[in-house]
Amino acid sequence: MKFRYLTLLYLPFLGLSSFSLKAQDSLRLFQKLEHQYSTERQLLPQFYHNPASMLGYGKFSFSDLNIGYENEEKKIYRQQEGSGEKNLSIKVNSFQKTNENRSIWGNAGYQNMKLKSVKWNENLDYDRIAPYTIADSAGGDTKLERYSFGGGISQKLNRWTLGLSADYTAQLGSRDRDPRQKSTTSDLYINLGANYRFYKDYEVGVFGQINKYTQNTSISFVSELGQALMYQMTGFGFSNYFFNGGSPAAIYEEFGYKTGAQVFRNSKNPFYLTGSLSQAQNLKSVNPSNRYFDISDLDKTIYEVEGAKFFNINQHRLGAVAQYQAHIFTGAEYGYTNNTQIIEPLYKRKSYKKEDYQTTVKLMYQYQADRFVAGVVPVFQYQEFTEKRKYPFSGQKFTAYSMGLETFYKQEITKNQMLSLSAHVSQKHINSGVNAINTDIKSNIVDWLMQDYQYLTSGYLQMGASLRYDIQLQNLPAFYVLGSWKQARIQEKNNNFTQIILGITF
């Protein structure tokens, strides 16, 4: 039934793709897929935040329908994120170049997941709402279903290019043992963009995005004996004592926006420069007595800058990408009193701040031959992370850098068969790490906080590889099978990830 639902969403794109297939019949399978899964395009995640720039996402139309299975087993992990997951997914996506002046795209997906051994967190989207989660020491496995769909259009009008897109994701998380968590989320993004060609093939663009996010979480118990104490966390193991306990219900409401600008050149030797500012506020309310009380809010500010340059030297393609991100989260707590007949607010004070700065540089070398493509992407990243709270004071910080190398090779076997191989290795080093974690709390919470700090400040060696085989039979779409493996060695133990995907592309 879920598969049929996704197919119905996808039917319009199947119809549109039929117009472009005729124009692409002369292309070999190798040419189609090498363009569809371009390494260069994957290096520019921020540039395509502007839906107007999606006009040049690809020269040709392409679509993909796949079923995937993932299994992750972690021996070293953050307890609030779990020890791994099992994930079954169905996904469809399509990019259609209807003509030289218009592109449309769409996607839909369903995932059925099991998050294993989640502890000290009874919510979904931990990184989005932390530190203001509901937590307990019991935890357990969480079942999660996720639905997503979206699409957009980009239209060129003389020197102008206009774009519009929307994306929506809904989740349902639950647990069938005490404490019985039930969480639902909805997440809607709407994007507008406009580009203007001001000189030859040089363009300047602006874009804007609004986002509305909601999470509802409730906790219930079947057993009346031995119930775990539920904490309304406020950071570093501290909690709002006034609203702790019971079978809590909480609502997280977030509204945000994003604005940005870019300048770029569309040519054989393009360059891109994109900058954006995002701001949002996440307000948490709880319902202890048939009335909701605001107990915290989290202000988020994110700066992003991305620049890239690519050029050709005969059959050699070279490029450089630089990215900078600054995530600054500031939290405030509300205080209440019940000394009177009703619960009354006493104060609101800023008490939490997290800053995460990351600078990333990627280089690309690619050799393009008639029947194969090979290349490497060296990566360097530097990170500064600080997290602290007041009343009482507690904090931690670290600096780190990582270096990595990604390689890829795509080979045409015959006119209707292709093999793709990729591999990567990276290593993270911790320059310095300091914690001033307040231990004047319960010992089991202190153990959790110290384990979390050790995880965040641990270096690692990560490696992985993937292998994909594509074949196109007569009068049928191209079928493919993809297998991936990844391993991260942390604190002398291994975390493993495996994936297999079966799909069709056309």
Side-chain angles (χ1 to χ4, degrees):
M1 182 174 179
K2 296 183 177 80
F3 180 80
R4 183 168 56 190
Y5 159 75
L6 292 173
T7 304
L8 289 173
L9 286 175
Y10 196 54
L11 283 176
F13 300 103
L14 293 177
L16 286 167
S17 66
S18 64
F19 291 101
S20 62
L21 286 176
K22 295 180 181 179
Q24 300 179 64
D25 283 344
S26 60
L27 294 176
R28 309 194 318 265
L29 177 66
F30 172 76
Q31 294 172 307
K32 295 178 185 178
L33 296 182
E34 197 282 321
H35 173 76
Q36 181 172 342
Y37 302 104
S38 164
T39 300
E40 181 175 320
R41 189 167 59 234
Q42 294 172 9
L43 293 175
L44 300 170
Q46 296 179 34
F47 179 73
Y48 295 106
H49 284 175
N50 182 357
S53 299
M54 286 291 291
L55 181 70
Y57 188 76
K59 297 179 181 178
F60 314 113
S61 300
F62 50 82
S63 302
D64 189 299
L65 165 65
N66 65 69
I67 300 175
Y69 174 77
E70 298 177 357
N71 184 44
E72 185 177 35
E73 299 285 348
K74 299 179 182 178
K75 294 182 179 179
I76 302 296
Y77 57 93
R78 303 185 76 181
Q79 295 185 53
Q80 58 271 36
E81 295 177 345
S83 64
E85 67 179 54
K86 292 183 178 180
N87 179 358
L88 179 65
S89 64
I90 303 173
K91 298 179 181 179
V92 292
N93 66 80
S94 181
F95 174 83
Q96 297 300 314
K97 194 80 171 177
T98 59
N99 55 53
E100 287 298 317
N101 296 321
R102 180 185 299 161
S103 296
I104 65 173
W105 60 94
N107 63 82
Y110 169 76
Q111 292 177 282
N112 191 309
M113 307 170 66
K114 179 181 179 181
L115 308 178
K116 294 177 282 188
S117 302
V118 179
K119 193 174 179 181
W120 299 112
N121 176 26
E122 294 292 343
N123 297 96
L124 303 180
D125 299 331
Y126 176 80
D127 287 334
R128 189 160 191 166
I129 65 173
Y132 301 116
T133 60
I134 302 174
D136 67 276
S137 60
D141 296 343
T142 300
K143 298 178 181 178
L144 176 64
E145 290 186 282
R146 179 180 296 145
Y147 301 84
S148 61
F149 59 89
I153 181 171
S154 182
Q155 176 70 52
K156 185 177 182 181
L157 302 169
N158 297 320
R159 287 178 174 266
W160 288 92
T161 303
L162 306 178
L164 169 66
S165 67
D167 294 277
Y168 179 76
T169 301
Q171 299 179 113
L172 170 62
S174 62
R175 185 180 300 129
D176 55 11
R177 49 163 285 187
D178 289 355
R180 296 171 187 266
Q181 167 207 10
K182 183 177 181 181
S183 295
T184 60
T185 72
S186 65
D187 198 7
L188 173 66
Y189 289 89
I190 299 176
N191 304 275
L192 290 169
N195 292 341
Y196 179 73
R197 181 170 55 86
F198 63 93
Y199 176 72
K200 293 184 178 180
D201 53 0
Y202 290 85
E203 296 187 45
V204 62
V206 294
F207 57 93
Q209 170 185 281
I210 58 173
N211 169 231
K212 181 65 172 69
Y213 172 84
T214 303
Q215 178 172 173
N216 285 273
T217 297
S218 61
I219 311 295
S220 62
F221 296 89
V222 172
S223 173
E224 297 182 357
L225 300 175
Q227 295 182 358
L229 177 62
M230 310 305 295
Y231 300 91
Q232 301 288 352
M233 306 305 293
T234 57
F236 289 97
F238 293 95
S239 59
N240 190 320
Y241 294 105
F242 193 84
F243 293 103
N244 284 346
S247 298
I251 296 177
Y252 299 83
E253 295 278 359
E254 180 176 308
F255 180 79
Y257 69 89
K258 181 175 185 175
T259 59
Q262 54 190 199
V263 59
F264 58 97
R265 182 188 184 192
N266 280 319
S267 69
K268 291 184 179 179
N269 300 318
F271 83 88
Y272 311 91
L273 181 62
T274 301
S276 65
L277 165 67
S278 305
Q279 290 189 316
Q281 183 183 61
N282 190 301
L283 177 65
K284 177 184 179 181
S285 304
V286 297
N287 181 17
S289 57
N290 298 319
R291 175 188 168 192
Y292 276 94
F293 297 90
D294 298 338
I295 66 170
S296 64
D297 62 47
L298 188 63
D299 292 324
K300 308 177 184 180
T301 301
I302 300 174
Y303 302 94
E304 296 177 298
V305 179
E306 178 179 86
K309 172 64 179 174
F310 298 92
F311 57 93
N312 284 329
I313 302 177
N314 299 322
Q315 293 177 287
H316 308 276
R317 183 73 165 171
L318 294 95
V321 181
Q323 298 164 339
Y324 173 78
Q325 293 184 330
H327 294 245
I328 303 170
F329 292 5
T330 303
E333 301 166 15
Y334 297 74
Y336 289 86
T337 179
N338 62 351
N339 290 333
T340 60
Q341 293 181 346
I342 60 174
I343 298 175
E344 294 181 339
L346 283 178
Y347 61 83
K348 176 186 176 181
R349 64 187 182 191
K350 292 184 178 180
S351 57
Y352 172 83
K353 191 169 187 179
K354 180 174 73 173
E355 298 173 276
D356 190 2
Y357 303 98
Q358 297 184 25
T359 302
T360 306
V361 177
K362 299 180 181 180
L363 304 177
M364 187 195 79
Y365 168 76
Q366 177 175 296
Y367 181 81
Q368 178 81 52
D370 182 57
R371 296 187 58 186
F372 76 89
V373 172
V376 296
V377 180
V379 180
F380 174 82
Q381 184 180 82
Y382 180 77
Q383 180 184 17
E384 296 181 3
F385 179 92
T386 303
E387 186 179 19
K388 59 186 178 182
R389 66 159 287 126
K390 298 184 290 186
Y391 317 117
F393 178 83
S394 192
Q396 60 189 10
K397 65 178 182 179
F398 67 85
T399 61
Y401 71 91
S402 60
M403 297 181 294
L405 183 68
E406 303 170 11
T407 64
F408 57 93
Y409 181 79
K410 305 172 186 178
Q411 174 70 57
E412 181 182 62
I413 302 173
T414 65
K415 185 177 180 180
N416 65 341
Q417 295 184 69
M418 176 178 167
L419 195 66
S420 303
L421 173 66
S422 66
H424 72 269
V425 60
S426 63
Q427 190 163 17
K428 180 179 179 180
H429 300 269
I430 304 298
N431 288 338
S432 61
V434 177
N435 88 74
I437 295 175
N438 193 314
T439 58
D440 189 21
I441 45 181
K442 292 185 177 180
S443 59
N444 60 339
I445 296 180
V446 173
D447 292 341
W448 157 46
L449 295 176
M450 296 307 298
Q451 184 187 54
D452 194 59
Y453 172 76
Q454 290 171 5
Y455 177 88
L456 291 174
T457 56
S458 291
Y460 62 74
L461 174 64
Q462 180 174 283
M463 60 187 69
S466 68
L467 180 65
R468 171 170 166 158
Y469 171 72
D470 292 80
I471 182 171
Q472 185 168 26
L473 303 177
Q474 190 173 8
N475 299 323
L476 290 174
F479 293 83
Y480 69 88
V481 57
L482 168 68
S484 300
W485 165 82
K486 182 170 64 179
Q487 183 180 88
R489 186 158 184 82
I490 307 174
Q491 299 176 19
E492 305 301 321
K493 295 184 179 180
N494 295 328
N495 293 346
N496 293 293
F497 170 86
T498 55
Q499 177 191 59
I500 185 167
I501 297 177
L502 302 175
I504 59 174
T505 183
F506 48 94

